[in-house]
Amino acid sequence: MQTPAPATPRSSPKVSPLYDPRIRGAAYQLLLLVVVGLLAWTAIDNAADNLRNARIASGFGFLGNTAGFDVNQSLIPFAAASSTYGAAFVVGLINTLMVAAIGIVLATILGFLVGIARLSENWIVARLAEIYIEVIRNIPLLLQLLFWYIAVLSALPSARDSYALPGSVFLNQRGLFLPRPLLAADAWALPLVLALGIAGAVAFRIHAGRVQRRTGRRLPVRRVAALLVLGLPLAVWGLLALLGLAPVTFELPVKGTFNLRGGLQLYPEFVALVLGLVIYTAAFIAEVVRAGIQAVSRGQREAARALGLQSGTTLRLVVIPQAMRVIVPPLTSQYLNLTKNSSLAVAVGYPDLVQIFMGTVLNQTGQAVEVVAITMAVYLTISLVTASVMNLYNRRVALVER
């Protein structure tokens, strides 16, 4: 019996380039790119002509000129007589990044606590969390910043009548005074020991995972990690202190007759800005956390209880890891909002990037185009970096389908 010859595949009909969707899509994108480029070139050329007609110098050479003004809150040395506008830009950038980093950490902690409390079976705890969320979310952030700065911090007593808090901490109209850490010459030992402890904790966690997959036995990962990351540096610190080689000492604030001397001063502008951003953003994060937890199937919690897990263990090991897949995307938006909302620092006088660079530097130099372009580029870069980091974490916790 003769086998039939295999059927030859039918060739797809030829399509005119005018109707090919791939060629048409590429042509439309190229046309859009040309239009955007022409618009950008026209705007730049128009701005350059206007600057020449107004006899305003353009370029970024002004960054090397002497600033001539002082900044009261700076993490790096800044002197009005010698520092440049470029140094002022760096000071404002560092202050902005510091507020954003501290605000993100504190707002995340507070937001998760309030979001979990919102779902508490305790009626009072749940209602208090709900009141906090609804009140804070519906009051503009600017009003909250002014409330903390004018109604709360400005109403504190003077330095002579400062509130004395535990741990040599003082609170008054001039801000919060804390013990200032002073690093000795051998302070490098602590970061080295801390890095070794973190590496040891990661290695033990990997080893514990292998042991659990092989034998089913769970090792005390959290306890060992706490001992390595916290206990080891503290032990080294105590040993060096016994030998008279303390790597870190603290300068305590001392209350005088009219003022406080020594210590680390957190200015009221900084405290008001951080408080306002943290409390405001935490209310939105709490709702994100609540929605993420409620997105986890109830059967997951029932299965965990059937296995004998306590409520806290179920929340930590079963519910939260699954809820993070829903929480991370809107949580990224809240982080970006907090960073951009920090530009409201100008309302309370905190020297951030907008207050220093967009305010003082722009007024003194008149380089509006360059200053605005640099500021926009900085916030765009911060937003893109934050989004990239959160997207990497989101891909790690994303549900992998088979």
Side-chain angles (χ1 to χ4, degrees):
M1 183 175 179
Q2 188 177 4
T3 58
T8 57
R10 300 175 62 182
S11 58
S12 57
K14 294 184 178 180
V15 180
S16 173
L18 294 177
Y19 298 99
D20 191 334
R22 293 176 299 178
I23 297 178
R24 291 171 61 182
Y28 289 150
Q29 293 183 27
L30 180 61
L31 179 62
L32 178 61
L33 182 62
V34 171
V35 171
V36 172
L38 289 176
L39 292 176
W41 180 82
T42 303
I44 294 173
D45 185 67
N46 187 30
D49 289 340
N50 292 334
L51 290 175
R52 282 193 299 268
N53 294 334
R55 296 182 180 181
I56 299 176
S58 59
F60 299 94
F62 71 96
L63 294 174
N65 299 334
T66 303
F69 62 89
D70 200 3
V71 179
N72 62 345
Q73 302 180 50
S74 174
L75 295 180
I76 62 175
F78 186 87
S82 59
S83 297
T84 62
Y85 290 123
F89 164 75
V90 175
V91 170
L93 176 60
I94 293 176
N95 288 346
T96 297
L97 293 176
M98 179 177 63
V99 168
I102 296 175
I104 286 174
V105 173
L106 296 181
T108 302
I109 297 173
L110 180 59
F112 268 79
L113 293 177
V114 176
I116 294 173
R118 178 72 175 81
L119 299 174
S120 174
E121 296 179 357
N122 188 307
W123 187 86
I124 296 179
V125 173
R127 295 290 81 76
L128 289 177
E130 181 182 4
I131 292 173
Y132 164 79
I133 292 171
E134 295 301 327
V135 170
I136 296 300
R137 288 201 311 166
N138 291 284
I139 298 177
L141 176 58
L142 180 59
L143 293 181
Q144 296 189 38
L145 293 178
L146 295 176
F147 167 78
W148 288 110
Y149 184 64
I150 298 176
V152 176
L153 296 177
S154 297
L156 292 174
S158 61
R160 176 187 298 181
D161 302 321
S162 300
Y163 291 133
L165 304 178
S168 298
V169 177
F170 296 91
L171 182 63
N172 54 54
Q173 289 180 345
R174 300 184 180 181
L176 187 65
F177 291 79
L178 307 171
R180 179 193 297 273
L182 302 176
L183 303 180
D186 53 355
W188 57 268
L190 288 181
L192 177 61
V193 173
L194 179 61
L196 293 176
I198 294 175
V202 173
F204 183 78
R205 180 176 181 179
I206 296 174
H207 171 70
R210 294 174 179 174
V211 170
Q212 185 175 5
R213 287 190 297 269
R214 187 174 62 252
T215 64
R217 185 167 59 95
R218 293 185 59 187
L219 299 179
V221 178
R222 296 181 181 273
R223 297 177 185 176
V224 174
L227 289 175
L228 291 175
V229 177
L230 299 177
L232 188 59
L234 291 177
V236 173
W237 188 354
L239 179 61
L240 293 176
L242 291 176
L243 298 176
L245 302 172
V248 180
T249 57
F250 290 93
E251 178 189 54
L252 302 180
V254 179
K255 187 176 181 181
T257 305
F258 300 102
N259 202 350
L260 291 171
R261 299 187 305 272
L264 176 64
Q265 181 180 4
L266 299 181
Y267 289 86
E269 296 82 8
F270 173 79
V271 177
L273 180 61
V274 171
L275 277 176
L277 289 174
V278 168
I279 294 175
Y280 181 76
T281 308
F284 290 88
I285 293 178
E287 283 295 273
V288 171
V289 172
R290 180 184 65 84
I293 293 176
Q294 289 182 331
V296 178
S297 173
R298 183 180 297 272
Q300 298 290 324
R301 287 186 285 270
E302 294 176 351
R305 292 176 181 175
L307 293 175
L309 297 180
Q310 300 294 328
S311 299
T313 306
T314 301
L315 183 66
R316 188 178 70 252
L317 300 180
V318 178
V319 178
I320 293 296
Q322 298 183 71
M324 291 302 295
R325 304 184 181 105
V326 181
I327 292 174
V328 170
L331 184 64
T332 303
S333 299
Q334 296 305 322
Y335 288 168
L336 299 179
N337 290 337
L338 187 148
T339 303
K340 290 180 286 188
N341 286 337
S342 65
S343 60
L344 293 175
V346 66
V348 295
Y350 176 73
D352 73 324
L353 182 63
V354 174
Q355 200 267 353
I356 295 177
F357 204 59
M358 285 279 292
T360 307
V361 173
L362 177 58
N363 291 332
Q364 290 189 1
T365 62
Q367 307 287 142
V369 175
E370 292 82 356
V371 170
V372 172
I374 293 175
T375 306
M376 292 174 60
V378 166
Y379 279 100
L380 177 62
T381 303
I382 294 174
S383 299
L384 292 178
V385 171
T386 303
S388 300
V389 173
M390 294 300 293
N391 287 337
L392 288 176
Y393 178 75
N394 189 33
R395 281 194 287 269
R396 286 194 58 187
V397 301
L399 183 62
V400 180
E401 298 181 355
R402 296 182 178 178

